[in-house]
Amino acid sequence: MGASVSQGLDARIVVRRSEDFTLQLDLFIPPGRTVALLGPNGAGKSTAVAALAGLLPLDSGRIELSGRVLDDPVAGIFVPPESRRVGVVFQDALLFPHMTVLENVAFGLRALGVGRHEARGRAREWLGRLGLEGLDVRRPGELSGGQAQRVGLARALAPEPGILLMDEPLSALDVTRRAEIRRVLTEHLTDFPGPRLVITHDPAEAFQLADEIHLLEGGVVTQVGSADDIRLTPRTAYAADLGGSNFFVGTARQGQVEIQGFTVAVADREIQGPVRVSIPPAAVSVHRDRPGGSPRNRWRTTLERVEDDGLRARLLTGPPLPLMIQVTPEALRELELRTGAEVWVSVKASEVRVERRFDAGRA
């Protein structure tokens, strides 16, 4: 927990879901900042949302929002969901089907004791801000997916919550609507003064919406940083996959790293011991014959897979060091690259990114 934090979210969340899984998550989000909790299915993202919203009590830890303690098992404090002032936007909107659009947006205000007339007036204001004029009397079943998600956002924002949680806000939409709602979220997140948390498994969503990204794997945070941090210096195989990088662990010594019995030259001669290694796909060159020039890393291999979507081509090589490589479709044709072809690959030592591993017991 941070010291004397009177604004924003300061949380230490520990929730045991089973003998095999415990969520252990530290989150500090100052006002006006957007953090994404990005992870694969089963990482603990939904558990985090439930704990922050008050749907699931902590086993240990503490949740403090704008100086107010919401959950502290040791102190015997637990604020129920309806009293937390937490706005949640769910992936499928979860609108009340028996209510009109206007009633849905006014619901949170009415629950806080706001009078019917004022609640409806403020709900209409939010519908106008989100481009939903004229939909007041419709039922959720009469809305498109994009419209329903906008109504869900209006309902979350109307009560002026202390924090905005967005739980997979775009996953239920088609590609066209997803781009539209991502734009709407980007616009309105900027205007929301409190802390914001985006829960997602989609890296594009996290990279576009968030100022800072927390990668959650197996109930623990494995990396925190900006989109560029994760793309350029991934700390786990999952992070490397997100950024489209090749990720390995190895042992460094005097400018060389041994990876899976294969040695790769690196520019940093000072780094020693267990390291993480990432190689961007675009940093790898492909040749039909042994290359000359300056690259210190070159070896012969076989193409195990070739993918071409017309805009860019991806190659997967075999031993001694499997790599995902990105080339242009023109290079694919000129070099006659196809599955099973024998090629040479080369990588400059300066393009091999190396970072010390302080968690040598884990990959």
Side-chain angles (χ1 to χ4, degrees):
M1 298 287 292
S4 300
V5 177
S6 60
Q7 297 296 324
L9 173 72
D10 192 22
R12 165 68 174 167
I13 299 171
V14 180
V15 179
R16 298 180 184 86
R17 299 307 304 264
S18 69
E19 291 184 1
D20 300 322
F21 184 87
T22 299
L23 173 67
Q24 301 180 70
L25 173 65
D26 291 324
L27 274 178
F28 171 57
I29 312 176
R33 189 165 180 83
T34 303
V35 167
L37 196 59
L38 175 62
N41 291 334
K45 303 187 302 297
S46 296
T47 300
V49 172
L52 290 168
L55 304 175
L56 195 62
L58 300 182
D59 288 306
S60 62
R62 192 168 184 265
I63 299 174
E64 182 177 326
L65 179 62
S66 299
R68 180 189 182 204
V69 177
L70 302 181
D71 196 341
D72 186 340
V74 173
I77 298 172
F78 181 80
V79 177
E82 63 274 14
S83 300
R84 290 198 173 200
R85 299 191 73 94
V86 172
V88 185
V89 181
F90 296 99
Q91 61 180 322
D92 50 3
L94 288 182
L95 302 176
F96 301 116
H98 62 287
M99 293 184 179
T100 65
V101 164
L102 185 65
E103 290 168 341
N104 264 281
V105 177
F107 177 82
L109 292 164
R110 296 286 288 143
L112 291 174
V114 177
R116 178 184 175 87
H117 180 72
E118 182 182 349
R120 284 175 165 255
R122 287 164 62 177
R124 285 193 181 91
E125 288 179 12
W126 274 104
L127 290 176
R129 291 187 198 183
L130 289 165
L132 296 166
E133 302 94 334
L135 300 182
D136 303 36
V137 299
R138 291 194 187 180
R139 306 280 178 175
E142 301 174 288
L143 303 176
S144 68
Q147 288 171 335
Q149 200 65 338
R150 286 182 187 231
V151 173
L153 178 59
R155 184 179 63 181
L157 291 171
E160 299 179 353
I163 184 173
L164 183 63
L165 305 182
M166 291 156 284
D167 185 12
E168 302 279 5
L170 308 180
S171 63
L173 304 175
D174 59 35
V175 174
T176 302
R177 295 299 182 191
R178 194 174 300 159
E180 171 198 341
I181 299 302
R182 187 181 292 137
R183 177 183 56 76
V184 171
L185 285 175
T186 301
E187 176 185 345
H188 287 280
L189 285 180
T190 303
D191 295 334
F192 181 70
R196 318 117 178 187
L197 180 63
V198 180
I199 311 294
T200 182
H201 68 276
D202 184 347
E205 208 169 292
F207 292 170
Q208 182 167 345
L209 294 176
D211 303 306
E212 182 178 81
I213 297 165
H214 293 231
L215 296 188
L216 187 67
E217 303 178 59
V220 297
V221 172
T222 55
Q223 186 168 353
V224 177
S226 66
D228 284 343
D229 292 333
I230 290 167
R231 289 189 186 103
L232 298 177
T233 56
R235 294 189 172 185
T236 67
Y238 171 69
D241 287 343
L242 293 176
S245 192
N246 297 287
F247 175 85
F248 309 96
V249 293
T251 304
R253 183 184 180 192
Q254 297 180 339
Q256 295 187 323
V257 178
E258 182 177 333
I259 304 170
Q260 301 170 9
F262 186 71
T263 301
V264 175
V266 298
D268 188 346
R269 296 186 60 83
E270 301 299 320
I271 194 167
Q272 307 288 331
V275 293
R276 301 183 183 92
V277 179
S278 59
I279 303 175
V284 186
S285 298
V286 184
H287 317 263
R288 292 312 298 256
D289 301 308
R290 181 184 176 89
S294 60
R296 291 161 57 193
N297 295 304
R298 66 194 84 186
W299 64 88
R300 195 169 187 173
T301 186
T302 300
L303 297 181
E304 294 193 344
R305 190 168 76 237
V306 176
E307 300 174 352
D308 180 11
D309 63 9
L311 298 176
R312 58 182 177 177
R314 298 180 185 85
L315 314 174
L316 178 63
T317 70
L321 190 66
L323 291 175
M324 183 66 73
I325 305 172
Q326 182 177 312
V327 299
T328 65
E330 291 76 18
L332 196 71
R333 292 189 292 272
E334 289 173 9
L335 296 174
E336 298 181 349
L337 301 176
R338 58 180 62 89
T339 301
E342 290 191 355
V343 297
W344 283 82
V345 297
S346 63
V347 188
K348 293 181 179 179
S350 59
E351 294 282 4
V352 181
R353 297 176 177 134
V354 185
E355 181 184 41
R356 284 186 179 86
R357 283 181 62 207
F358 296 103
D359 59 340
R362 292 171 49 196

